[in-house]
């Protein structure tokens, strides 16, 4: 695993649940005030199991994130640190994609942190 893999940088927060040649599934847990070390995620889908507030930081930029339990968000490939700024524990599942981003998909890294879906569920 690369040194910037979240399972390596923060083994007390990230746990590998499943992996095959196409995806990797991680569980993330933390408590109010916890912070992560710099780490990298490939393109991922995040499913929140608990409501939380956090700050995601990278390269001098910051994003404040507040999500309710049961939300699903796209997280474009990015390197960042995170901090639980709320009063509740964080519990999320990440489904990381191993396939490279298609050229037609564009850069996608302009947005820091999770992004809402652009269309409705079918």
């Amino acid at each position: 695993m690369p040194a910037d893999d979240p399972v390596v940088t923060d083994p007390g927060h990230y746990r590998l649940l499943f992996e095959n040649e196409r995806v990797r599934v991680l569980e993330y847990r933390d408590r109010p005030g916890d912070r992560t070390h710099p780490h990298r995620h490939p393109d991922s889908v995040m499913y929140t199991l608990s409501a939380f507030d956090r700050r995601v930081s990278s390269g001098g930029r910051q994003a404040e994130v507040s999500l309710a339990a049961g939300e699903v968000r796209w997280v474009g490939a990015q390197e960042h640190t995170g901090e639980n700024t709320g009063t509740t524990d964080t519990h999320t599942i990440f489904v990381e994609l191993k396939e490279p981003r298609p050229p037609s998909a564009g850069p996608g890294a302009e947005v820091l942190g999770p992004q809402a879906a652009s269309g409705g569920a079918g």
Side-chain angles (χ1 to χ4, degrees):
M1 277 186 238
D4 61 356
D5 185 291
V7 175
V8 173
T9 63
D10 294 284
H13 296 298
Y14 285 95
R15 182 169 68 106
L16 179 64
L17 298 178
F18 175 85
E19 184 170 19
N20 67 19
E21 66 280 350
R22 299 186 66 198
V23 300
R24 185 169 84 148
V25 180
L26 302 178
E27 177 183 41
Y28 177 81
R29 291 177 176 264
D30 74 12
R31 295 179 179 211
D34 284 352
R35 297 174 185 236
T36 62
H37 297 91
H39 61 275
R40 175 168 292 283
H41 292 280
D43 286 344
S44 305
V45 174
M46 179 182 71
Y47 176 65
T48 63
L49 298 171
S50 67
F52 62 82
D53 295 309
R54 65 189 309 98
R55 179 176 300 119
V56 180
S57 304
S58 179
R61 299 183 307 148
Q62 292 185 343
E64 302 296 328
V65 178
S66 293
L67 293 173
E71 292 197 50
V72 177
R73 292 288 188 263
W74 174 256
V75 181
Q78 59 189 266
E79 182 176 335
H80 62 236
T81 60
E83 176 184 1
N84 183 331
T85 57
T87 59
T88 61
D89 292 358
T90 302
H91 189 193
T92 62
I93 301 293
F94 287 90
V95 179
E96 297 183 334
L97 306 179
K98 291 187 174 183
E99 291 142 359
R101 176 188 303 270
S104 62
E110 294 102 18
V111 178
L112 185 61
Q115 304 167 38
S118 58

